Amino acid sequence: MADVLALDGTGRAELADEELRELYRLMLAVRHLDESAIRWQRQGLIPGYAPQLGQEAAQVGSGYALDMSRDFVFPTYREMGVARTVGVDMVEYMSTHKATWHGGLYDPKASRFAPIQAVVGGSVLHAVGWAHGQTLDGTPAGELGVAITYFGDGASSQGDVHEAMNFAAVMKAPVVFFIQNNGWAISVPTERQVAGGSVAGRAAGYGMPSIQVDGNDVVAVTQATATALAHARAGNGPAVVEAMTYRRGPHSTSDDPGRYRTLEEERTDGGEDPLARMRTRLLADGIADEAFFEEALAAARAEEEQIRAGINALGPRPGTEMFDFVYQEPTQALKAQASAWREESEHV
């Protein structure tokens, strides 16, 4: 077995005061947008949404560590906080949840944020493929972009994830496997579906370095992710970051967590709210005052309203598009389906 490095979380220098304030602003904006999205689903503005309450530090911290001039994000359907942190247009991002366009209306190539992936474990395979492509292109170590792939403790039990991690380790692909261990694979607790109790612990079997970090501490997450990115960028191959956090809400807007856990268990197991924790830190260190928090709250509310209005204004896409992007060269069967659809819907 290859030597296993221990990531020490020092890949990024101490964060400056303004960076710490920016992390709080981002977490607050993400919290407001997340809570708003649930209300929008209840109001009928969007048909479905996957909340991330409690995972703001894991998402904002990891996204903040990326170099978006060369790195590439491969998300699941729950990485709204990462998307917001790296600058994806939030109206275009939410178009998926409005069912306007599968994968989002944003440009994945320009934003370096891959389309939202609903297939469990699918984003992991895509990330490894993109990363290995750089090796095939002959990109020298030190200049490598790193693929960061997000998945949960539940997805880590997928066979595809094992294959992707094994391939990445053998080929030394520049990938960071970022696991948000939020305690639940929909309704199944981690201890009932993750053997050994730790996803990060599995990295040793692949000869990868790994780090398990407090996923409710945004600063710790930023530094741990930066360390993993530096390892991969230097040509040393993949690394694993497991952010230990807690999904404080439902798995999706169609889920009822009251069927598999109690409210008291949520309060006990959830630990300290990551947003409140960062606020306490800023106040204790004298980095922010009440005026700052009021300003950040006003900005988050204004952004939330701007995004709501943008989503509301999204019109439907042309129906013919469902046939346009299936194959580069459409099959005869697809052409026949498109023709039948036009005759029925457009009477041509």
Side-chain angles (χ1 to χ4, degrees), residues 68 72-80 83 88 92-97 101-119 121-124 126-127 130 148-150:
M68 294 308 291
F72 213 111
V73 180
F74 292 84
T76 71
Y77 44 78
R78 203 188 300 279
E79 268 69 65
M80 183 273 286
V88 175
E92 295 179 346
Y93 176 90
M94 284 290 180
S95 66
T96 285
H97 297 296
W101 186 257
H102 182 63
L105 281 168
Y106 57 88
D107 182 344
K109 185 177 180 181
S111 65
R112 307 185 74 78
F113 193 93
I116 296 168
Q117 178 56 249
V119 176
S123 57
V124 184
H126 300 165
W130 181 87
I148 184 168
T149 175
Y150 290 85

Side-chain angles (χ1 to χ4, degrees), residues 7-285:
L7 299 177
D8 59 11
T10 57
R12 200 179 197 285
E14 289 296 316
L15 297 173
D17 290 354
E18 180 50 33
E19 290 180 303
L20 295 172
R21 286 190 289 267
E22 178 61 10
L23 286 172
Y24 180 85
R25 290 190 196 96
L26 287 166
M27 291 173 67
L28 184 62
V30 168
R31 171 69 60 88
H32 270 262
L33 185 53
D34 186 61
E35 292 176 339
S36 296
I38 296 173
R39 287 195 293 273
W40 297 339
Q41 192 275 331
R42 305 302 191 228
Q43 296 164 1
L45 181 59
I46 57 177
Y49 179 70
Q52 57 164 74
L53 182 65
Q55 298 179 217
E56 295 87 352
Q59 297 208 7
V60 170
S62 57
Y64 196 74
L66 294 168
D67 177 353
M68 294 308 291
S69 69
R70 52 182 170 176
D71 298 335
F72 213 111
V73 180
F74 292 84
T76 71
Y77 44 78
R78 203 188 300 279
E79 268 69 65
M80 183 273 286
V82 182
R84 170 63 180 83
T85 301
V86 302
V88 175
D89 184 288
M90 283 290 98
V91 174
E92 295 179 346
Y93 176 90
M94 284 290 180
S95 66
T96 285
H97 297 296
K98 193 178 179 182
T100 301
W101 186 257
H102 182 63
L105 281 168
Y106 57 88
D107 182 344
K109 185 177 180 181
S111 65
R112 307 185 74 78
F113 193 93
I116 296 168
Q117 178 56 249
V119 176
V120 176
S123 57
V124 184
L125 301 168
H126 300 165
V128 172
W130 181 87
H132 185 56
Q134 292 190 91
T135 303
L136 297 178
D137 288 342
T139 307
E143 297 179 13
L144 290 167
V146 179
I148 184 168
T149 175
Y150 290 85
F151 55 107
D153 45 300
S156 75
S157 300
Q158 290 280 106
D160 289 356
V161 172
H162 157 70
E163 293 179 23
M165 296 178 83
N166 184 65
F167 184 92
V170 169
M171 297 297 180
K172 288 191 174 299
V175 183
V176 171
F177 297 97
F178 191 93
I179 299 105
Q180 292 173 85
N181 188 337
N182 65 17
W184 292 92
I186 305 183
S187 59
V188 181
T190 301
E191 60 270 20
R192 289 181 55 193
Q193 60 89 28
V194 174
S198 166
V199 183
R202 296 176 182 173
Y206 302 105
M208 295 182 203
S210 65
I211 186 169
Q212 192 179 69
V213 64
D214 182 346
N216 294 331
D217 182 341
V218 67
V219 176
V221 172
T222 301
Q223 293 178 327
T225 307
T227 298
L229 291 167
H231 170 87
R233 201 182 312 285
N236 297 316
V240 173
V241 178
E242 183 180 19
M244 305 304 292
T245 182
Y246 190 80
R247 195 195 77 214
R248 291 170 174 262
H251 171 75
S252 69
T253 45
S254 60
D255 176 40
D256 175 12
R259 298 180 64 182
Y260 51 84
R261 69 187 188 194
T262 67
L263 187 58
E264 184 58 32
E265 287 172 336
E266 287 185 10
R267 290 169 175 160
T268 302
D269 297 342
E272 190 175 8
D273 183 301
L275 188 61
R277 180 175 178 170
M278 189 58 178
R279 177 190 174 99
T280 299
R281 174 173 180 165
L282 294 178
L283 283 170
D285 292 346

Side-chain angles (χ1 to χ4, degrees), residues 328-339:
Q328 185 174 9
E329 297 179 4
T331 63
Q332 289 303 318
L334 190 64
K335 290 179 180 177
Q337 291 174 18
S339 177

